[in-house]
Amino acid sequence: MKTIFNKQKRSIVGVTVALLAFAAAITGCQKDFELDLPLAVSSRNLSLTKEAGSTHVLVYSNGEWTAHLTRNVKWASINKQEGYGNHEIVFSYSANYGISRKVGVVFSKGGLRDTVMFTQAGAVTEPSLVFTKPAVTLLKSSSAVKSAISTNLRYSIDDMEATVTYYDENDMPNDPVKVVTRADAEGEEGGEEGGGEEETPVAQPVDPWISDVVITRSAVTFAVSENATGFPRRADLNVFIEDADGKVTNSTLSITQGIADPVFRLDESEVTYEGYAQDCVVAATNNNIEPYADKVLYEVVYEGGEPEEPWIAKPAITSDGLTFKLLKNDTEAARTAVIKLTYADELGNEVAAECKVVQKMYPAAVDFASVRALAPGEIALQQYIEGFVISDAASANICSSPQTAQFAFDRSENKKTAYIESADAKYGFALKFATSDDAKLLERYSKVRIAINGLTLEKHENPDYYTIKGLTAANILEATTADEFKVPVKTKTIAELTDDDIFTLVSVSNLEVMCKDGAYTNSTEGYLFKDGHSPCGTSSAPRYDVVPLLCYDMNGDAIRMLTNCGVSWRRTGADLKWNTVVPQGAGTFKGVVVADDIVTVRYGNIGRYQLRAMTAEDIALNDAPFAQTIVEWNWNNLKTDLDPEIGTGTINKYGASQAGAADFNNPYHCNGKTDEKNGNGTNQKGLVNLGGLRLDNTWWDFTKNEGKYFDIEFSTQGISGSNMTFGIVWGTGDMGGTNIKAPSNWNLLYSVDGGESFQPVPNSDPVKCRCIVWWDDTKSGGGATPNDAAPGFTEHLRKLPAECFGKEKVVLRLQAASTVTNINPKASSSNYKTALACEKGNITSSTTAANQQVRIGTITVRYN
C-alpha cells in the first residue's frame, strides 16, 4: 500500500541527511550531531484508499512519548502506544465499504501534543439513511422501543451518532442533546484501541426521558422513562453520520409519549383463507401497541395437535393489525388454528386477543379448455390455471387504450393487462388486474398458477377469445423464475393462424414490412398524446393511441403489427425526416396474437388477427428481403411527378388534377424547431408535410353511372415466381370537413393484354379509401374529428393472379366502385361513439373535384 506519506518519508529522510551534512560542514569533527526535537511527526494529513492496508508514521522526540487514537473505532489500530526517541508506528486500517471516514493519532510528550489525521475514501458515495416510519406514539409506561431504519451504510454503523431534541411544555424545542458519542453495531462492544477522551456531560434542559440509544444495521433502539407528567410529551431523535468532508447524512424520528394504557382489539375473531401460501392481515382498528411489536407474546394452537411442520409463521403486530404467513395447504382437508397474543407494559397493564384461522385445501388445477367452456360471468371454481406469462409488464405495447371520452383514452389499461398461455401453448387468456402494481408481479416467461374463483370470464365471439377480469396480487398463487427457453412458442404462417392462437405466443416466420418508408407508427403525430415520445402531440384532444403496420409473408398473406404510441422504439430520432426506421429485410416476428376491436373502428378492417411485439427485439426481420420490387412510387422528395423511385412504370390519371400531398409515412418526430427542408414550422400540428401525391377529380361519371379510375402500368417480361402482390397506402381529406368525399370503395382490376380488357383481381374485396383525421369546419357549427377517421393513410395489400407474370405490359386499375363516401357527422362529446363519417354519405353531381381528394403515399408491386 502506497500513500502520500511514502513520498513525504523519502523527502524527510533526504532533509535529515542534508541537515546532518550541513552540521558536519560547520562544526567539523568536534562532536556527533544530534537531532534534538522535543516532539514532531513526519506528516499531519494522510489520504488512504478504500482498500485495506497499513502505513508508517515517523515520530521525532528526545524523550518518551505516547500515542492513541482520537476516538474509538473498529476499523483502525496502531501497533504501539508508547515509545522513546525517534521512532515510527504502523497505522493499520480495514477496507471501507461505507462512506469516507477519518481518525487521528495523537502523540503526547509531557505537555506537548501533535496529531496525524488519516482520511480514508469509501465505497458509498451517495449515502442514504431513513427511519422506516418518521413518527411513533408511545404509551405512558417506561419501555424499550425499537424503530426500524433503512440505510446503505451498514458498514458505517460504528460512526453514527444521535442527538435528542426535547420539547418543553409550550412545545418549544430545546437545544439538541447528544445521547451517543459512538453507535454500537448489533450490540457489539466498541473499538479495539482505547485512549479516546471522555466527553463532558451536557446539561439537560428538560427531564431526559430518552436514554440507552443503540444504532444497529436495521433499527435504532432506545429506552423511555414513565410519563408521570399527566400530559403528552414530545422529542425528536436525530441519527446522523458525517463523512470525511463534513457532509452530514441524517434522519429524524418524531417521538410522542402519551398517557394512555395499552389497547388492542382485532376487527375479526375468525378468518378463512384459500389453500395457497400467502401473507395475511387481520385488521385492528384499536391498536396502540404496534411500537412494542417485538415484546408481544404469540402462541399458535393447532387444532388436532402440533403438526410436523407449523403452517402459520411469523405472527406480528403492525400498524395494520395482526400479520402472519400461511404455508401452502397440501393436505386433503381444511385445517384450523388459533393465534393468541398478549402484551403487558411495565406498569402491569395487559391486553390479549386471539383469532381463529381456517385454511382451505390447496385448489386443484383446471385446464384452459375447461375454463373456456364455462358460461361467461363469475367463475365458481375453487381451482387454478397454470401457464406461462408471455406479456412483459415493462412493455408499453401490451394492449390498446380504451376510449373513455371523445378525446380521452385510458392508457393505464396497458399496465393492468397481461397474457398467459397454457403449458402446451394451445390456448391463451388475457388477464385484467385491478392495479398496475398487481399486474407487474407477473414476470415475462415465468410459469404461474392463478386462482380463478370469484373472477369474471368474458368471451368475445367471431373471433373467439377469452378475458379473465378482476385479478389482484392475491390470485397469483405461485410463480417460477423466468426462463424464456422453457416457454413453448408456436411457429406458424399467417394463413395457419386460428382463433385458438389468440393470446398465445407465436413465431411468424418469413415476414416482411410492406411500406418500408417511415416508422412503426406511420401516423400524424399532431393528433396523439403529447408526452416524451410525441412532443408535438396534443394534451387536450388526442385522437388515437395505436397504429397498425401491414406485413406479409412468402405466401402473400397479410397481417398487421400493432404498436402503441407510448412505445419508445416506435420512432427513433427527431430529425430523420425522409429516412426510415422499420426493418428493410425479412425474418421472424415473435409476438402475441391479438384481435383488436378498438383499432378496427379507426382503421377499418385490419384482418382477423394482429401481432403485438413486447420489445423491439421481438421483431427480428434481419435477413435479406424475400420479395423483389418490380415498381414503386413514394413521393418522399416532395416532387409531384409520376416517376417511380424503384423500377419502371407509369401512372395514368386520366384527367385528374395532380399536386403534392401532405400527411404521409415517415419517422419525422417533431422537435419544436422549424423544418429547414420545407420551411414547415408548425411542429406537425395536423400535417406532416413530407410527401405524397394528391389526385383530385370528380370520381363518379353520373352520365355513364360508373366510376372513374386511374391506372398503374408496368412490365413483368422475364419475371416468374410464386406470388405477386400490389400494395397501396392512401386516404382522403385535407384538414376540413368538406373535402373528405372521395369514393370509399375502389375495385382493383387487372389487364395482361396491354389494357384491351380488364377483369377483377380474384378474391379481392374493394380497396377502402378512408378519410384521414381532420378538424371539422367549425364555421358550419360542427364538432371535431369523428372516431373512424384514421390518423394517417391506411395500408392495403392484394394478391395478383399468376398470369400477371411474364407479361410485356400489365395494367392495374383502381376504379371507384360506388358513390358511397364520407360525411361530416358533427361529432361531439355526447355522440362521438355513433357520429361516424366513413361510408355514411354519397357523392352527388355537385360534389366538386376539390372535395374528392385521393391522397397516395406509396404504390408498390412486388413478387417472390
Side-chain angles (χ1 to χ4, degrees):
M1 170 73 199
K2 292 184 179 180
T3 66
I4 296 174
F5 171 73
N6 296 109
K7 296 181 180 179
Q8 295 166 333
K9 179 178 178 180
R10 290 193 295 268
S11 176
I12 293 169
V13 171
V15 171
T16 303
V17 172
L19 288 173
L20 292 173
F22 179 68
I26 293 177
T27 62
C29 299
Q30 295 179 5
K31 65 176 181 178
D32 294 335
F33 172 80
E34 293 183 4
L35 187 60
D36 189 18
L37 298 176
L39 181 67
V41 293
S42 56
S43 179
R44 290 185 173 82
N45 292 284
L46 297 178
S47 296
L48 311 172
T49 65
K50 63 184 178 182
E51 291 77 17
S54 63
T55 189
H56 295 243
V57 177
L58 297 181
V59 185
Y60 303 101
S61 177
N62 58 8
E64 293 182 349
W65 49 265
T66 61
H68 66 264
L69 298 177
T70 54
R71 60 190 179 93
N72 290 336
V73 296
K74 291 183 178 181
W75 58 273
S77 64
I78 52 178
N79 68 330
K80 293 181 180 180
Q81 295 185 355
E82 60 184 18
Y84 182 88
N86 300 337
H87 220 296
E88 70 174 11
I89 68 165
V90 178
F91 178 85
S92 300
Y93 48 94
S94 61
N96 186 6
Y97 301 107
I99 59 174
S100 61
R101 57 194 180 187
K102 63 181 178 180
V103 72
V105 177
V106 179
F107 295 94
S108 303
K109 177 181 179 295
L112 299 177
R113 295 179 56 153
D114 212 338
T115 303
V116 180
M117 296 302 299
F118 297 87
T119 301
Q120 186 182 22
V124 177
T125 57
E126 295 184 4
S128 65
L129 172 64
V130 63
F131 278 98
T132 304
K133 292 184 178 180
V136 62
T137 299
L138 306 177
L139 305 175
K140 71 176 180 180
S141 67
S142 60
S143 61
V145 181
K146 177 185 289 187
S147 187
I149 60 172
S150 175
T151 182
N152 62 353
L153 299 175
R154 57 177 299 181
Y155 295 104
S156 299
I157 295 296
D158 288 349
D159 292 319
M160 289 186 182
E161 300 180 272
T163 61
V164 175
T165 299
Y166 294 98
Y167 291 77
D168 62 20
E169 64 274 11
N170 298 314
D171 204 35
M172 297 297 294
N174 289 275
D175 293 334
V177 178
K178 189 173 181 180
V179 291
V180 291
T181 57
R182 182 188 58 79
D184 290 325
E186 300 293 348
E188 295 178 2
E189 294 298 324
E192 299 172 359
E193 302 294 340
E197 297 193 356
E198 299 292 332
E199 295 196 2
T200 304
V202 179
Q204 306 287 333
V206 296
D207 177 26
W209 48 277
I210 295 175
S211 61
D212 298 335
V213 178
V214 176
I215 305 170
T216 70
R217 296 173 179 176
S218 60
V220 176
T221 60
F222 56 92
V224 296
S225 61
E226 180 184 347
N227 183 7
T229 63
F231 57 85
R233 56 188 180 184
R234 192 160 68 91
D236 290 336
L237 173 60
N238 182 46
V239 176
F240 62 93
I241 186 171
E242 182 178 335
D243 67 13
D245 296 324
K247 181 181 178 181
V248 175
T249 299
N250 73 303
S251 184
T252 299
L253 175 68
S254 178
I255 304 169
T256 300
Q257 187 181 24
I259 55 175
D261 293 327
V263 175
F264 184 81
R265 186 173 65 216
L266 292 170
D267 293 356
E268 297 178 89
S269 59
E270 182 174 341
V271 288
T272 301
Y273 296 98
E274 299 297 332
Y276 49 86
Q278 57 195 291
D279 295 328
C280 305
V281 178
V282 182
T285 51
N286 290 325
N287 173 16
N288 65 3
I289 65 171
E290 185 266 334
Y292 312 94
D294 59 322
K295 297 176 178 59
V296 177
L297 300 179
Y298 303 94
E299 181 185 10
V300 180
V301 179
Y302 294 96
E303 187 178 88
E306 188 78 14
E308 291 184 7
E309 181 182 9
W311 48 273
I312 294 179
K314 297 183 178 180
I317 296 300
T318 69
S319 57
D320 296 323
L322 170 63
T323 66
F324 54 93
K325 292 181 177 292
L326 283 182
L327 276 62
K328 177 181 175 182
N329 185 2
D330 282 326
T331 66
E332 298 180 354
R335 54 191 182 185
T336 303
V338 177
I339 301 176
K340 300 180 179 181
L341 58 95
T342 58
Y343 170 75
D345 66 13
E346 295 294 328
L347 297 176
N349 300 302
E350 184 176 289
V351 291
E354 63 179 50
C355 182
K356 182 179 181 181
V357 179
V358 178
Q359 187 183 29
K360 300 177 182 178
M361 293 171 52
Y362 189 82
V366 60
D367 59 64
F368 279 44
S370 298
V371 177
R372 286 159 59 100
L374 295 174
E378 183 173 341
I379 301 172
L381 291 176
Q382 297 285 349
Q383 293 174 287
Y384 67 84
I385 56 174
E386 183 176 56
F388 290 100
V389 179
I390 56 173
S391 54
D392 187 341
S395 175
N397 203 41
I398 301 175
C399 70
S400 296
S401 302
Q403 189 167 3
T404 56
Q406 186 180 15
F407 302 127
F409 297 83
D410 182 8
R411 299 183 86 181
S412 69
E413 188 73 12
N414 185 84
K415 296 182 179 180
K416 295 186 290 186
T417 302
Y419 300 120
I420 179 177
E421 70 176 18
S422 55
D424 60 3
K426 185 174 182 180
Y427 300 116
F429 288 117
L431 306 178
K432 298 290 184 177
F433 283 83
T435 69
S436 59
D437 287 339
D438 294 331
K440 71 182 181 182
L441 297 176
L442 292 186
E443 187 178 4
R444 191 183 192 193
Y445 300 134
S446 62
K447 192 173 186 179
V448 297
R449 290 180 175 179
I450 304 291
I452 59 175
N453 186 52
L455 301 179
T456 301
L457 176 69
E458 290 187 354
K459 178 180 180 180
H460 183 282
E461 295 184 344
N462 196 27
D464 294 345
Y465 59 83
Y466 301 81
T467 302
I468 299 176
K469 292 187 172 182
L471 289 91
T472 67
N475 292 100
I476 305 173
L477 305 185
E478 297 180 30
T480 65
T481 302
D483 188 343
E484 179 179 358
F485 300 102
K486 291 184 178 180
V487 180
V489 182
K490 292 177 283 191
T491 299
K492 291 193 173 187
T493 65
I494 295 171
E496 291 172 338
L497 294 174
T498 69
D499 290 2
D500 290 348
D501 296 318
I502 297 175
F503 304 146
T504 68
L505 188 62
V506 177
S507 178
V508 181
S509 56
N510 295 317
L511 208 64
E512 191 170 329
V513 176
M514 189 198 79
C515 185
K516 295 180 182 293
D517 290 328
Y520 289 102
T521 53
N522 285 328
S523 57
T524 304
E525 292 285 291
Y527 287 108
L528 52 73
F529 291 88
K530 186 173 185 178
D531 57 19
H533 304 308
S534 179
C536 59
T538 170
S539 301
S540 58
R543 306 299 206 274
Y544 68 101
D545 191 37
V546 64
V547 179
L549 186 68
L550 191 145
C551 304
Y552 58 90
D553 63 13
M554 296 186 73
N555 299 320
D557 296 316
I559 195 168
R560 288 165 174 82
M561 69 171 74
L562 302 182
T563 308
N564 293 346
C565 293
V567 172
S568 60
W569 43 265
R570 67 185 184 85
R571 290 176 182 257
T572 55
D575 296 303
L576 290 173
K577 296 181 175 64
W578 321 118
N579 299 325
T580 182
V581 302
V582 298
Q584 301 298 293
T588 300
F589 186 112
K590 185 178 69 174
V592 178
V593 178
V594 297
D596 200 311
D597 291 335
I598 298 175
V599 187
T600 298
V601 174
R602 197 168 291 282
Y603 287 92
N605 181 13
I606 58 172
R608 191 173 183 90
Y609 314 115
Q610 304 86 46
L611 297 173
R612 280 191 174 274
M614 295 297 103
T615 67
E617 291 71 29
D618 292 340
I619 308 171
L621 311 185
N622 304 319
D623 300 331
F626 57 77
Q628 305 299 313
T629 301
I630 298 173
V631 64
E632 184 167 296
W633 290 262
N634 286 304
W635 297 285
N636 278 349
N637 55 8
L638 289 181
K639 294 181 180 180
T640 59
D641 59 47
L642 298 179
D643 298 331
E645 280 73 26
I646 302 175
T648 302
T650 303
I651 295 178
N652 295 319
K653 56 182 180 172
Y654 302 116
S657 64
Q658 176 181 337
D663 201 346
F664 178 52
N665 315 318
N666 64 91
Y668 177 54
H669 196 321
C670 162
N671 59 0
K673 297 179 181 179
T674 299
D675 179 359
E676 298 176 356
K677 191 138 190 164
N678 59 25
N680 173 28
T682 63
N683 295 337
Q684 288 191 342
K685 292 179 180 176
L687 294 177
V688 177
N689 297 327
L690 288 176
L693 174 72
R694 196 182 86 198
L695 299 178
D696 296 354
N697 199 0
T698 53
W699 289 106
W700 192 261
D701 189 329
F702 285 91
T703 302
K704 297 180 179 181
N705 194 30
E706 65 180 19
K708 297 181 181 180
Y709 50 81
F710 61 93
D711 292 344
I712 300 104
E713 299 178 4
F714 53 92
S715 174
T716 62
Q717 191 74 44
I719 296 176
S720 62
S722 301
N723 294 284
M724 186 182 299
T725 57
F726 164 76
I728 187 169
V729 184
W730 67 345
T732 181
D734 188 13
M735 289 292 289
T738 58
N739 52 14
I740 57 172
K741 298 178 181 177
S744 297
N745 298 291
W746 296 69
N747 289 327
L748 179 61
L749 312 173
Y750 77 101
S751 171
V752 292
D753 58 8
E756 294 297 324
S757 63
F758 285 87
Q759 46 191 321
V761 171
N763 303 314
S764 175
D765 295 331
V767 183
K768 303 288 185 179
C769 186
R770 296 176 66 85
C771 56
I772 62 172
V773 175
W774 43 271
W775 293 106
D776 192 11
D777 181 5
T778 55
K779 294 181 181 179
S780 64
T785 306
N787 270 13
D788 58 345
F793 296 172
T794 55
E795 303 169 336
H796 308 269
L797 186 75
R798 295 292 186 271
K799 289 184 182 181
L800 299 179
E803 61 180 311
C804 289
F805 281 109
K807 295 299 186 291
E808 182 178 349
K809 183 178 180 179
V810 178
V811 183
L812 299 180
R813 173 169 291 177
L814 278 163
Q815 182 176 20
S818 69
T819 61
V820 172
T821 185
N822 313 301
I823 64 169
N824 180 347
K826 312 300 183 186
S828 66
S829 59
S830 60
N831 71 353
Y832 74 94
K833 291 183 178 181
T834 56
L836 304 179
C838 291
E839 302 188 32
K840 300 299 181 181
N842 283 278
I843 297 170
T844 66
S845 58
S846 62
T847 307
T848 65
N851 288 334
Q852 298 187 54
Q853 300 175 356
V854 172
R855 303 159 66 82
I856 307 171
T858 286
I859 291 176
T860 186
V861 181
R862 296 177 190 159
Y863 77 97
N864 64 282

